[in-house]
Amino acid sequence: MGPGRAEECAQFAAARAGHLYRAACLLTAGDTHLAEDLVQETLGRLYVRWGRFSRVENPAAYAQTVLTRTFLAHQRRRSSTERTMAVLPDGPAPTGGDATLRLALLDALGRLPPKDRAVVVLRYWEDRSIAETAAALNATSAAVRTRCVRALGRLRELLGEDVEAYARP
């Protein structure tokens, strides 16, 4: 890759890394270390294929698709069965309604299966259509709709009746 293409790739990575990181944090249910690893792997894959990638119609959506597929591949690995502790030692207590809501949502997302979590993040965080989500996950539109209904139902179940208490007035 020539210096011009390397610079172009670096500019794209700098512009999209923050957004990819936020999406990866949601996919990993708040595991920031794994999110950083996923973003790094995603950007590495894009760099290797930059010649082909730079001609894609919507590079941001393509990068998000690569991130989602990287996350799902990671979840299929045996080594990904490590689980975080339920209670963090010596951590500061969350304060304020917004932080409480964020923690409750991340905890609920973390309890969803990986594919359901990916569907929720793509559909509602990334605001993608059902067809775009299906393409990103290599699934049918019907499968995405079914996963959306089940995942949202499970989130409502996990958040319980108190979800209204988290909402801002």
Side-chain angles (χ1 to χ4, degrees), residues 31-162:
D31 185 347
T32 57
H33 299 292
L34 178 56
E36 289 172 353
D37 291 346
L38 291 174
V39 170
Q40 183 176 4
E41 189 172 338
T42 297
L43 293 175
R45 288 180 181 189
L46 294 176
Y47 179 80
V48 169
R49 293 178 179 87
W50 185 255
R52 216 175 346 156
F53 168 72
S54 61
R55 293 186 298 269
V56 170
E57 186 176 315
N58 188 348
Y62 182 77
Q64 183 64 36
T65 298
V66 172
L67 173 70
T68 303
R69 289 183 180 171
T70 301
F71 164 73
L72 292 173
H74 179 271
Q75 292 301 306
R76 286 190 295 268
R77 291 185 204 135
R78 264 186 226 207
S79 64
S80 74
T81 58
E82 297 175 3
R83 298 291 174 232
T84 57
M85 296 173 40
V87 178
L88 295 176
D90 301 323
T95 57
D98 199 28
T100 305
L101 173 61
R102 181 180 297 275
L103 290 174
L105 288 174
L106 284 176
D107 181 54
L109 270 175
R111 293 181 185 192
L112 292 178
K115 286 188 179 179
D116 288 353
R117 197 177 323 152
V119 165
V120 169
V121 170
L122 289 173
R123 285 282 291 134
Y124 301 104
W125 172 258
E126 293 291 322
D127 197 28
R128 289 196 184 190
S129 69
I130 290 175
E132 292 170 334
T133 303
L137 296 174
N138 257 354
T140 64
S141 295
V144 169
R145 283 192 293 275
T146 301
R147 281 198 182 276
C148 277
V149 169
R150 288 182 185 162
L152 291 176
R154 178 73 176 133
L155 282 175
R156 285 185 193 98
E157 192 178 292
L158 290 169
L159 292 171
E161 300 293 326
D162 297 331

